[in-house]
Amino acid sequence: MDVNTVVIVGRLVRDLNPSDSREFAYTPNGQARANISVAVNTRRKNGDQWVDEANYFNVTIWGKTAESLKPYLTKGRQIAIEGALKQERWQDKETGKTRDRVSIVADNVQLLGGSSGSRMEGGYQQSSTGAAPNYQPMNAAPQNQQNFAPQQSYQNGYQPQQMNGGDYGDMNNFPDEVPF
């Protein structure tokens, strides 16, 4: 079985420009498309010092999610993306060399830093305080998907995950050694 799933949490590199068709446009059949770039910072140790590194990812958001998020996609906004990697290949017209690019096609998008009070509007969960909305399709099964922004604090930062409406059991009864 093949798996192609990626989850990133980072910050938008620039404001979405709705008048630039490379960033936001509608397909001939009327479906919205937004292309954004997300910076994800990581830290690594270089000798005795910690060094911050930024990785940049191109992300495509489709449909009602792209359309609804358009006013909120601003530079510096923290965002969580769950999606799949997509590779594109083409011939460079000038050099004749084959070029390729890997980007992320978003399945779920969540703007982080918003309020916990929310209401349902237009099939998406949206904040009632005017803060950044939490967009996730209503028909997606939230019990089967990762919660990007924990609503409660758990001991040692642990957030239990739900699956098919149940939990993984007593969180204090994990074995001391994992068999893999």
Side-chain angles (χ1 to χ4, degrees), residues 98-123:
T98 301
R99 312 257 319 182
D100 66 292
R101 167 181 49 213
V102 175
S103 61
I104 299 170
V105 177
D107 292 325
N108 292 308
V109 176
Q110 185 171 358
L111 299 176
L112 302 178
S115 148
S116 61
S118 63
R119 60 187 160 84
M120 298 307 284
E121 181 175 292

